[in-house]
PDB file of all heavy atoms in Angstrom:
ATOM      1  N   ILE R 292       7.792  18.450   8.351  1.00  0.00           N
ATOM      2  CA  ILE R 292       6.508  17.909   8.106  1.00  0.00           C
ATOM      3  C   ILE R 292       6.480  16.445   7.891  1.00  0.00           C
ATOM      4  O   ILE R 292       5.691  15.783   8.358  1.00  0.00           O
ATOM      5  CB  ILE R 292       6.183  18.603   6.551  1.00  0.00           C
ATOM      6  CG1 ILE R 292       6.055  20.121   6.725  1.00  0.00           C
ATOM      7  CG2 ILE R 292       4.806  18.048   6.133  1.00  0.00           C
ATOM      8  CD1 ILE R 292       6.072  20.820   5.432  1.00  0.00           C
ATOM      9  N   TYR R 293       7.507  15.848   7.242  1.00  0.00           N
ATOM     10  CA  TYR R 293       7.672  14.399   7.106  1.00  0.00           C
ATOM     11  C   TYR R 293       7.624  13.659   8.492  1.00  0.00           C
ATOM     12  O   TYR R 293       6.839  12.722   8.718  1.00  0.00           O
ATOM     13  CB  TYR R 293       8.900  14.103   6.299  1.00  0.00           C
ATOM     14  CG  TYR R 293       9.059  12.535   6.173  1.00  0.00           C
ATOM     15  CD1 TYR R 293       8.439  11.929   5.055  1.00  0.00           C
ATOM     16  CD2 TYR R 293       9.876  11.826   6.931  1.00  0.00           C
ATOM     17  CE1 TYR R 293       8.699  10.591   4.768  1.00  0.00           C
ATOM     18  CE2 TYR R 293      10.028  10.425   6.794  1.00  0.00           C
ATOM     19  CZ  TYR R 293       9.449   9.822   5.602  1.00  0.00           C
ATOM     20  OH  TYR R 293       9.615   8.470   5.528  1.00  0.00           O
ATOM     21  N   ARG R 294       8.466  14.173   9.348  1.00  0.00           N
ATOM     22  CA  ARG R 294       8.551  13.619  10.704  1.00  0.00           C
ATOM     23  C   ARG R 294       7.272  13.667  11.551  1.00  0.00           C
ATOM     24  O   ARG R 294       6.861  12.867  12.236  1.00  0.00           O
ATOM     25  CB  ARG R 294       9.749  14.125  11.485  1.00  0.00           C
ATOM     26  CG  ARG R 294      10.980  13.455  11.239  1.00  0.00           C
ATOM     27  CD  ARG R 294      10.939  12.184  11.769  1.00  0.00           C
ATOM     28  NE  ARG R 294      12.127  11.280  11.591  1.00  0.00           N
ATOM     29  CZ  ARG R 294      12.070  10.022  11.383  1.00  0.00           C
ATOM     30  NH1 ARG R 294      10.932   9.369  11.282  1.00  0.00           N
ATOM     31  NH2 ARG R 294      13.263   9.410  11.177  1.00  0.00           N
ATOM     32  N   SER R 295       6.554  14.798  11.379  1.00  0.00           N
ATOM     33  CA  SER R 295       5.273  15.067  12.070  1.00  0.00           C
ATOM     34  C   SER R 295       4.291  13.985  11.565  1.00  0.00           C
ATOM     35  O   SER R 295       3.527  13.375  12.417  1.00  0.00           O
ATOM     36  CB  SER R 295       4.794  16.477  11.820  1.00  0.00           C
ATOM     37  OG  SER R 295       3.544  16.714  12.431  1.00  0.00           O
ATOM     38  N   ILE R 296       4.207  13.810  10.249  1.00  0.00           N
ATOM     39  CA  ILE R 296       3.172  12.900   9.668  1.00  0.00           C
ATOM     40  C   ILE R 296       3.474  11.504   9.863  1.00  0.00           C
ATOM     41  O   ILE R 296       2.745  10.647  10.181  1.00  0.00           O
ATOM     42  CB  ILE R 296       2.966  13.353   8.254  1.00  0.00           C
ATOM     43  CG1 ILE R 296       2.361  14.724   8.162  1.00  0.00           C
ATOM     44  CG2 ILE R 296       2.052  12.360   7.548  1.00  0.00           C
ATOM     45  CD1 ILE R 296       0.998  14.976   8.698  1.00  0.00           C
ATOM     46  N   VAL R 297       4.778  11.178   9.482  1.00  0.00           N
ATOM     47  CA  VAL R 297       5.192   9.653   9.427  1.00  0.00           C
ATOM     48  C   VAL R 297       5.631   9.250  10.821  1.00  0.00           C
ATOM     49  O   VAL R 297       5.589   8.084  11.076  1.00  0.00           O
ATOM     50  CB  VAL R 297       6.262   9.471   8.374  1.00  0.00           C
ATOM     51  CG1 VAL R 297       6.735   8.081   8.358  1.00  0.00           C
ATOM     52  CG2 VAL R 297       5.665   9.918   7.013  1.00  0.00           C
ATOM     53  N   MET R 298       6.083  10.264  11.684  1.00  0.00           N
ATOM     54  CA  MET R 298       6.663   9.930  12.964  1.00  0.00           C
ATOM     55  C   MET R 298       7.866   8.859  12.825  1.00  0.00           C
ATOM     56  O   MET R 298       8.764   9.162  11.954  1.00  0.00           O
ATOM     57  CB  MET R 298       5.601   9.314  13.956  1.00  0.00           C
ATOM     58  CG  MET R 298       4.591  10.395  14.257  1.00  0.00           C
ATOM     59  SD  MET R 298       3.460  10.176  15.550  1.00  0.00           S
ATOM     60  CE  MET R 298       2.782   8.558  15.316  1.00  0.00           C
ATOM     61  N   ASP R 299       7.958   7.937  13.520  1.00  0.00           N
ATOM     62  CA  ASP R 299       9.064   6.983  13.518  1.00  0.00           C
ATOM     63  C   ASP R 299       8.810   5.726  12.563  1.00  0.00           C
ATOM     64  O   ASP R 299       9.601   4.858  12.631  1.00  0.00           O
ATOM     65  CB  ASP R 299       9.381   6.488  14.915  1.00  0.00           C
ATOM     66  CG  ASP R 299      10.032   7.593  15.733  1.00  0.00           C
ATOM     67  OD1 ASP R 299      10.548   8.473  15.193  1.00  0.00           O
ATOM     68  OD2 ASP R 299       9.727   7.528  17.047  1.00  0.00           O
ATOM     69  N   LYS R 300       7.779   5.781  11.756  1.00  0.00           N
ATOM     70  CA  LYS R 300       7.495   4.628  10.864  1.00  0.00           C
ATOM     71  C   LYS R 300       8.650   4.605   9.793  1.00  0.00           C
ATOM     72  O   LYS R 300       9.023   5.635   9.159  1.00  0.00           O
ATOM     73  CB  LYS R 300       6.183   4.850  10.205  1.00  0.00           C
ATOM     74  CG  LYS R 300       5.827   3.706   9.204  1.00  0.00           C
ATOM     75  CD  LYS R 300       4.436   3.917   8.581  1.00  0.00           C
ATOM     76  CE  LYS R 300       4.259   2.776   7.610  1.00  0.00           C
ATOM     77  NZ  LYS R 300       3.161   3.151   6.683  1.00  0.00           N
ATOM     78  N   LYS R 301       9.256   3.447   9.671  1.00  0.00           N
ATOM     79  CA  LYS R 301      10.269   3.297   8.682  1.00  0.00           C
ATOM     80  C   LYS R 301       9.728   3.330   7.241  1.00  0.00           C
ATOM     81  O   LYS R 301       8.542   2.929   7.065  1.00  0.00           O
ATOM     82  CB  LYS R 301      11.027   1.957   8.889  1.00  0.00           C
ATOM     83  CG  LYS R 301      11.702   1.852  10.212  1.00  0.00           C
ATOM     84  CD  LYS R 301      12.957   2.758  10.227  1.00  0.00           C
ATOM     85  CE  LYS R 301      13.724   2.540  11.457  1.00  0.00           C
ATOM     86  NZ  LYS R 301      14.951   3.463  11.412  1.00  0.00           N
ATOM     87  N   ILE R 302      10.551   3.684   6.266  1.00  0.00           N
ATOM     88  CA  ILE R 302      10.205   3.736   4.910  1.00  0.00           C
ATOM     89  C   ILE R 302       9.922   2.295   4.369  1.00  0.00           C
ATOM     90  O   ILE R 302       9.094   2.126   3.475  1.00  0.00           O
ATOM     91  CB  ILE R 302      11.102   4.529   3.937  1.00  0.00           C
ATOM     92  CG1 ILE R 302      12.495   3.905   3.940  1.00  0.00           C
ATOM     93  CG2 ILE R 302      11.160   5.947   4.362  1.00  0.00           C
ATOM     94  CD1 ILE R 302      13.439   4.566   3.019  1.00  0.00           C
ATOM     95  N   TRP R 303      10.581   1.307   4.851  1.00  0.00           N
ATOM     96  CA  TRP R 303      10.452  -0.061   4.539  1.00  0.00           C
ATOM     97  C   TRP R 303      10.531  -0.873   5.840  1.00  0.00           C
ATOM     98  O   TRP R 303      11.025  -0.436   6.916  1.00  0.00           O
ATOM     99  CB  TRP R 303      11.531  -0.640   3.612  1.00  0.00           C
ATOM    100  CG  TRP R 303      11.613   0.137   2.316  1.00  0.00           C
ATOM    101  CD1 TRP R 303      10.690   0.531   1.424  1.00  0.00           C
ATOM    102  CD2 TRP R 303      12.945   0.638   1.772  1.00  0.00           C
ATOM    103  NE1 TRP R 303      11.250   1.153   0.407  1.00  0.00           N
ATOM    104  CE2 TRP R 303      12.633   1.265   0.508  1.00  0.00           C
ATOM    105  CE3 TRP R 303      14.271   0.583   2.127  1.00  0.00           C
ATOM    106  CZ2 TRP R 303      13.582   1.856  -0.199  1.00  0.00           C
ATOM    107  CZ3 TRP R 303      15.213   1.096   1.371  1.00  0.00           C
ATOM    108  CH2 TRP R 303      14.917   1.742   0.098  1.00  0.00           C
ATOM    109  N   VAL R 304      10.015  -2.045   5.778  1.00  0.00           N
ATOM    110  CA  VAL R 304      10.182  -3.134   6.926  1.00  0.00           C
ATOM    111  C   VAL R 304      10.679  -4.371   6.374  1.00  0.00           C
ATOM    112  O   VAL R 304      10.320  -4.773   5.248  1.00  0.00           O
ATOM    113  CB  VAL R 304       8.906  -3.320   7.705  1.00  0.00           C
ATOM    114  CG1 VAL R 304       8.544  -2.046   8.376  1.00  0.00           C
ATOM    115  CG2 VAL R 304       7.780  -3.745   6.870  1.00  0.00           C
ATOM    116  N   PRO R 305      11.640  -5.002   7.080  1.00  0.00           N
ATOM    117  CA  PRO R 305      12.084  -6.291   6.594  1.00  0.00           C
ATOM    118  C   PRO R 305      10.996  -7.446   6.749  1.00  0.00           C
ATOM    119  O   PRO R 305      10.184  -7.313   7.600  1.00  0.00           O
ATOM    120  CB  PRO R 305      13.360  -6.548   7.418  1.00  0.00           C
ATOM    121  CG  PRO R 305      13.062  -5.798   8.709  1.00  0.00           C
ATOM    122  CD  PRO R 305      12.278  -4.558   8.251  1.00  0.00           C
ATOM    123  N   ARG R 306      11.201  -8.354   5.990  1.00  0.00           N
ATOM    124  CA  ARG R 306      10.308  -9.536   6.068  1.00  0.00           C
ATOM    125  C   ARG R 306      10.585 -10.239   7.462  1.00  0.00           C
ATOM    126  O   ARG R 306      11.672 -10.232   7.955  1.00  0.00           O
ATOM    127  CB  ARG R 306      10.583 -10.609   5.048  1.00  0.00           C
ATOM    128  CG  ARG R 306      10.008 -10.144   3.664  1.00  0.00           C
ATOM    129  CD  ARG R 306      10.167 -11.188   2.600  1.00  0.00           C
ATOM    130  NE  ARG R 306       9.556 -12.417   2.999  1.00  0.00           N
ATOM    131  CZ  ARG R 306      10.031 -13.699   2.813  1.00  0.00           C
ATOM    132  NH1 ARG R 306      11.114 -13.799   2.126  1.00  0.00           N
ATOM    133  NH2 ARG R 306       9.370 -14.672   3.219  1.00  0.00           N
ATOM    134  N   THR R 307       9.591 -10.812   8.006  1.00  0.00           N
ATOM    135  CA  THR R 307       9.831 -11.547   9.293  1.00  0.00           C
ATOM    136  C   THR R 307       9.504 -13.041   9.107  1.00  0.00           C
ATOM    137  O   THR R 307       8.804 -13.374   8.063  1.00  0.00           O
ATOM    138  CB  THR R 307       8.887 -10.940  10.354  1.00  0.00           C
ATOM    139  OG1 THR R 307       7.476 -11.085   9.992  1.00  0.00           O
ATOM    140  CG2 THR R 307       9.201  -9.527  10.751  1.00  0.00           C
ATOM    141  N   GLY R 308       9.883 -13.816  10.002  1.00  0.00           N
ATOM    142  CA  GLY R 308       9.553 -15.191   9.908  1.00  0.00           C
ATOM    143  C   GLY R 308      10.297 -16.006   8.846  1.00  0.00           C
ATOM    144  O   GLY R 308       9.877 -17.060   8.466  1.00  0.00           O
ATOM    145  N   ILE R 309      11.419 -15.507   8.539  1.00  0.00           N
ATOM    146  CA  ILE R 309      12.222 -16.136   7.415  1.00  0.00           C
ATOM    147  C   ILE R 309      12.934 -17.333   8.069  1.00  0.00           C
ATOM    148  O   ILE R 309      13.780 -17.026   9.022  1.00  0.00           O
ATOM    149  CB  ILE R 309      13.215 -15.236   6.725  1.00  0.00           C
ATOM    150  CG1 ILE R 309      12.456 -14.050   6.044  1.00  0.00           C
ATOM    151  CG2 ILE R 309      14.074 -15.956   5.745  1.00  0.00           C
ATOM    152  CD1 ILE R 309      13.380 -12.995   5.600  1.00  0.00           C
ATOM    153  N   PRO R 310      12.842 -18.524   7.612  1.00  0.00           N
ATOM    154  CA  PRO R 310      13.546 -19.644   8.287  1.00  0.00           C
ATOM    155  C   PRO R 310      15.034 -19.551   7.897  1.00  0.00           C
ATOM    156  O   PRO R 310      15.335 -19.153   6.753  1.00  0.00           O
ATOM    157  CB  PRO R 310      13.000 -20.893   7.552  1.00  0.00           C
ATOM    158  CG  PRO R 310      12.196 -20.539   6.390  1.00  0.00           C
ATOM    159  CD  PRO R 310      11.932 -18.935   6.643  1.00  0.00           C
ATOM    160  N   HIS R 311      15.852 -19.737   8.855  1.00  0.00           N
ATOM    161  CA  HIS R 311      17.425 -19.559   8.583  1.00  0.00           C
ATOM    162  C   HIS R 311      17.929 -20.989   7.989  1.00  0.00           C
ATOM    163  O   HIS R 311      18.411 -21.815   8.699  1.00  0.00           O
ATOM    164  CB  HIS R 311      18.044 -19.298   9.886  1.00  0.00           C
ATOM    165  CG  HIS R 311      17.594 -17.914  10.505  1.00  0.00           C
ATOM    166  ND1 HIS R 311      18.521 -16.975  11.047  1.00  0.00           N
ATOM    167  CD2 HIS R 311      16.432 -17.315  10.445  1.00  0.00           C
ATOM    168  CE1 HIS R 311      17.904 -16.005  11.433  1.00  0.00           C
ATOM    169  NE2 HIS R 311      16.594 -16.162  11.046  1.00  0.00           N
ATOM    170  N   ARG R 312      17.828 -20.934   6.716  1.00  0.00           N
ATOM    171  CA  ARG R 312      18.210 -22.252   5.943  1.00  0.00           C
ATOM    172  C   ARG R 312      19.550 -22.081   5.242  1.00  0.00           C
ATOM    173  O   ARG R 312      20.112 -23.216   4.804  1.00  0.00           O
ATOM    174  CB  ARG R 312      17.151 -22.720   5.066  1.00  0.00           C
ATOM    175  CG  ARG R 312      15.876 -23.106   5.818  1.00  0.00           C
ATOM    176  CD  ARG R 312      14.889 -23.625   4.883  1.00  0.00           C
ATOM    177  NE  ARG R 312      13.713 -24.135   5.629  1.00  0.00           N
ATOM    178  CZ  ARG R 312      12.471 -23.809   5.330  1.00  0.00           C
ATOM    179  NH1 ARG R 312      12.215 -23.242   4.159  1.00  0.00           N
ATOM    180  NH2 ARG R 312      11.478 -24.265   6.093  1.00  0.00           N
ATOM    181  N   CYS R 313      19.982 -20.887   4.976  1.00  0.00           N
ATOM    182  CA  CYS R 313      21.183 -20.691   4.114  1.00  0.00           C
ATOM    183  C   CYS R 313      21.846 -19.390   4.499  1.00  0.00           C
ATOM    184  O   CYS R 313      21.275 -18.582   5.316  1.00  0.00           O
ATOM    185  CB  CYS R 313      20.831 -20.765   2.676  1.00  0.00           C
ATOM    186  SG  CYS R 313      19.905 -19.453   2.147  1.00  0.00           S
ATOM    187  N   LEU R 314      22.922 -19.149   3.882  1.00  0.00           N
ATOM    188  CA  LEU R 314      23.618 -17.829   4.056  1.00  0.00           C
ATOM    189  C   LEU R 314      22.754 -16.663   3.878  1.00  0.00           C
ATOM    190  O   LEU R 314      22.761 -15.698   4.726  1.00  0.00           O
ATOM    191  CB  LEU R 314      24.817 -17.757   3.026  1.00  0.00           C
ATOM    192  CG  LEU R 314      25.513 -16.379   3.124  1.00  0.00           C
ATOM    193  CD1 LEU R 314      26.917 -16.464   3.773  1.00  0.00           C
ATOM    194  CD2 LEU R 314      25.613 -15.818   1.726  1.00  0.00           C
ATOM    195  N   VAL R 315      21.912 -16.554   2.818  1.00  0.00           N
ATOM    196  CA  VAL R 315      21.035 -15.504   2.558  1.00  0.00           C
ATOM    197  C   VAL R 315      19.951 -15.362   3.602  1.00  0.00           C
ATOM    198  O   VAL R 315      19.762 -14.279   4.293  1.00  0.00           O
ATOM    199  CB  VAL R 315      20.429 -15.562   1.049  1.00  0.00           C
ATOM    200  CG1 VAL R 315      19.388 -14.525   0.970  1.00  0.00           C
ATOM    201  CG2 VAL R 315      21.486 -15.467   0.048  1.00  0.00           C
ATOM    202  N   SER R 316      19.197 -16.482   3.829  1.00  0.00           N
ATOM    203  CA  SER R 316      18.005 -16.326   4.746  1.00  0.00           C
ATOM    204  C   SER R 316      18.486 -16.075   6.273  1.00  0.00           C
ATOM    205  O   SER R 316      17.753 -15.513   7.001  1.00  0.00           O
ATOM    206  CB  SER R 316      17.215 -17.595   4.687  1.00  0.00           C
ATOM    207  OG  SER R 316      17.888 -18.671   5.030  1.00  0.00           O
ATOM    208  N   SER R 317      19.715 -16.488   6.510  1.00  0.00           N
ATOM    209  CA  SER R 317      20.203 -16.284   7.911  1.00  0.00           C
ATOM    210  C   SER R 317      20.755 -14.867   8.148  1.00  0.00           C
ATOM    211  O   SER R 317      20.805 -14.438   9.228  1.00  0.00           O
ATOM    212  CB  SER R 317      21.392 -17.179   8.163  1.00  0.00           C
ATOM    213  OG  SER R 317      20.917 -18.551   8.083  1.00  0.00           O
TER     214      SER R 317
END
Side-chain angles (χ1 to χ4, degrees):
I292 299 165
Y293 180 85
R294 273 293 180 213
S295 180
I296 295 299
V297 177
M298 296 191 310
D299 291 330
K300 182 181 176 197
K301 295 289 186 181
I302 58 174
W303 304 310
V304 293
R306 288 184 57 218
T307 58
I309 300 171
H311 296 219
R312 295 189 177 134
C313 67
L314 174 107
V315 172
S316 62
S317 296

